[in-house]
Amino acid sequence: MSVLASVGDDSRSPLRLLEKPLASGMSREVYALPGTNMLVKVQTKIPPRRYFQNIRLLYLVRRFYKAIVPLRRELREYERVAQEGPRTARHLQHFAGVVSTDRGTGILVKAVRRRNGALAMTLQDAIESGQYSQQTDAALSEFLDWLVKSEIVAVDVHLKNIVVDEKNGALVLIDGIGDKTFLPVRSWFSWLNRSYKKRLAQSIYSEVAQRFMRTALNNRTVLLLFVFAGTMLGIDISDGQLIDG
């Protein structure tokens, strides 16, 4: 059965999400599914727009649209690119289905984890923690090449929804697919979608470079300050001795 047909299926009791969310965004929360390696992504709130609050009808229309349309478009993207092959399977989080929960319709996805079992680091965390390496940079180039060449409609891709798959040496997109605009023009016109993703890829790589340089400079500044302070206090770190003899 199509995953689209399963949205809103009330034939089974809703899954109760008892645990605290593992992560929260502007409109979504992510929960662990106990006893599995699956995560449940649930839309729990709709980001406010002040100019919609004063007109009741517009407020209700927007609320309905945000609750239904983006979810259906996201599911359609998972279905549409499922046959693209191993490259998409490598770079797009594995979609497992849809489930009814006590917090609304949830999307089931396979968790991407680190070697120690923790959830994978985001690309932003990898840069800011000093773990962005040559291997990560090569993985980023591979990921961006896939993003542009794939037929996937990806409209909200940033460093927080790209994670590092340490086990497979790849970067994985975990959110941000499906046209979010009222008129899904990028879904209608593949050339427009490709053009947008080219600009998006350039923007992502530029932001990575800027953040990497900023982090590297901050680390070097801290090191220089440490060396300076050590010199003033009679500590020579160059020979491994805390106090000069």
Side-chain angles (χ1 to χ4, degrees), residues 65-240:
Y65 172 86
K66 288 292 186 181
I68 302 297
V69 176
L71 173 63
R72 293 184 68 87
R73 289 179 179 173
E74 182 174 356
L75 296 177
R76 187 174 292 113
E77 283 306 301
Y78 277 119
E79 282 197 329
R80 196 168 63 84
V81 301
Q83 306 303 318
E84 279 193 343
R87 288 199 76 192
T88 293
R90 177 173 170 83
H91 295 296
L92 181 63
Q93 188 170 35
H94 177 70
F95 169 73
V98 178
V99 62
S100 176
T101 80
D102 57 350
R103 297 174 184 265
T105 301
I107 295 179
L108 280 175
V109 292
K110 184 178 179 181
V112 183
R113 297 190 179 277
R114 305 187 65 178
R115 292 189 181 92
N116 61 8
L119 288 178
M121 287 187 299
T122 67
L123 185 55
Q124 180 169 315
D125 288 341
I127 297 169
E128 294 179 351
S129 64
Q131 298 183 60
Y132 188 87
S133 63
Q134 289 183 340
Q135 289 77 15
T136 313
D137 193 61
L140 176 61
S141 296
E142 178 189 345
F143 172 84
L144 294 178
D145 181 70
W146 161 80
L147 181 67
V148 172
K149 292 179 179 178
S150 169
E151 292 299 316
I152 195 168
V153 175
V155 296
D156 186 26
V157 180
H158 47 75
L159 306 192
K160 289 185 177 180
N161 60 19
I162 303 171
V163 299
V164 181
D165 182 354
E166 296 178 347
K167 297 179 181 178
N168 295 306
L171 297 186
V172 178
L173 180 62
I174 61 172
D175 206 354
I177 67 172
D179 213 324
K180 303 296 190 294
T181 57
F182 182 73
L183 296 177
V185 291
R186 284 189 282 271
S187 298
W188 294 344
F189 305 106
S190 58
W191 63 267
L192 184 61
N193 184 39
R194 175 72 63 90
S195 177
Y196 171 81
K197 290 193 295 182
K198 284 182 178 178
R199 296 193 302 273
L200 177 61
Q202 292 171 350
S203 175
I204 290 172
Y205 200 85
S206 176
E207 184 179 357
V208 168
Q210 292 175 19
R211 286 182 177 272
F212 178 79
M213 291 302 297
R214 191 181 307 130
T215 300
L217 288 174
N218 287 342
N219 290 342
R220 182 171 290 275
T221 300
V222 169
L223 177 60
L224 290 174
L225 288 174
F226 180 68
V227 172
F228 176 76
T231 302
M232 295 296 292
L233 295 173
I235 301 173
D236 184 359
I237 66 170
S238 64
D239 60 1

Side-chain angles (χ1 to χ4, degrees), residues 52 55-66:
F52 280 102
I55 304 176
R56 179 69 176 172
L57 179 59
L58 290 180
Y59 170 78
L60 292 175
V61 169
R62 180 175 183 270
R63 185 177 181 85
F64 174 80
Y65 172 86
K66 288 292 186 181

